[in-house]
Amino acid sequence: MTKLLAFHNKESVKKKYIKRLEAHYKADEIIKGKYWVGGKGCAVGCTIHGSDHGKYETELGIPRALARLEDGIFERLPNEDAKEFPLRFLNAIKVGSDLSMVAPKFIHWMLVDPEDGIIKFAKKKEVVQAVADLYQRQINGENVAFDDWSAARRIAASAAYAADAASAASAASAADAAYAASAAYAAY
């Protein structure tokens, strides 16, 4: 697989999408809840004029996982902040950057950060840690097998069903992270 470089290592690509987003911002066309309808849309919609997160890879050289992350953050921001977020997101990315480890590092942090991570709230900390360990292996450059991600998902899902409601939410989050990773791996 060819390594993605942000904006395909071309300033002209970044400028094209910044210009597009600026026009949507000025026309008040950045909205929540719709990808791309009638010239209006969400962060992803206004960036690629569609809903296919994979186009971030082909058009912008940005991993689709980051498009999904941008999408999730955008939809949960207050409206005023959400309208500015797509421009802030793209402007923060340096042309030619290798962003391949951003999502794994973010998910790892989300799972095990002692102050803000899921593990802080989990009763089945070992389940959350097991998923985080897979991400750490990936961050360290190891090619983690699809079967490893699948096994972690099964263990996390099993723990979610066996646990009480508060712990189930934590284990389910870990299961979702493992599932997302296994699905992303399968896509390649």
Side-chain angles (χ1 to χ4, degrees), residues 127 130-131 134 137 144-159 174-175 178-179 182:
V127 173
V131 174
L134 292 176
R137 286 172 49 196
V144 181
F146 180 79
D147 290 345
D148 291 342
W149 291 113
S150 295
R153 180 175 190 255
R154 283 191 304 277
I155 292 166
S158 176
Y179 177 72
S182 64

Side-chain angles (χ1 to χ4, degrees), residues 99-178:
L99 304 173
S100 62
M101 285 295 120
V102 173
K105 287 178 179 181
F106 177 77
I107 295 168
H108 183 267
W109 167 83
M110 180 182 66
L111 291 171
V112 295
D113 181 76
E115 189 172 322
D116 297 313
I118 291 170
I119 202 162
K120 179 179 178 180
F121 308 99
K123 288 185 180 178
K124 299 280 188 178
K125 293 182 186 333
E126 66 278 3
V127 173
V128 175
Q129 187 63 55
V131 174
D133 290 347
L134 292 176
Y135 278 102
Q136 188 60 58
R137 286 172 49 196
Q138 185 180 27
I139 292 164
N140 292 343
E142 186 178 333
N143 187 9
V144 181
F146 180 79
D147 290 345
D148 291 342
W149 291 113
S150 295
R153 180 175 190 255
R154 283 191 304 277
I155 292 166
S158 176
Y161 291 118
D164 64 326
S167 184
S170 299
S173 293
D176 288 344

Side-chain angles (χ1 to χ4, degrees), residues 3 11 37 42 45-46 49 55 61-62 64 67 87-88 93 101 105-106 108 135 139 144 149 154 156 163 181 184 187:
K3 183 183 269 193
E11 188 67 39
V37 178
C42 66
C46 283
H49 290 174
K55 286 189 174 185
I62 297 173
R64 74 183 70 213
L87 274 167
R88 292 180 67 199
I93 299 170
M101 285 295 120
K105 287 178 179 181
F106 177 77
H108 183 267
Y135 278 102
I139 292 164
V144 181
W149 291 113
R154 283 191 304 277

Side-chain angles (χ1 to χ4, degrees), residues 7 14 18 86-95 97 99:
F7 306 107
K14 182 173 183 175
I18 294 294
L87 274 167
R88 292 180 67 199
F89 180 83
L90 285 189
N91 274 316
I93 299 170
K94 292 181 181 171
V95 173
S97 296
L99 304 173

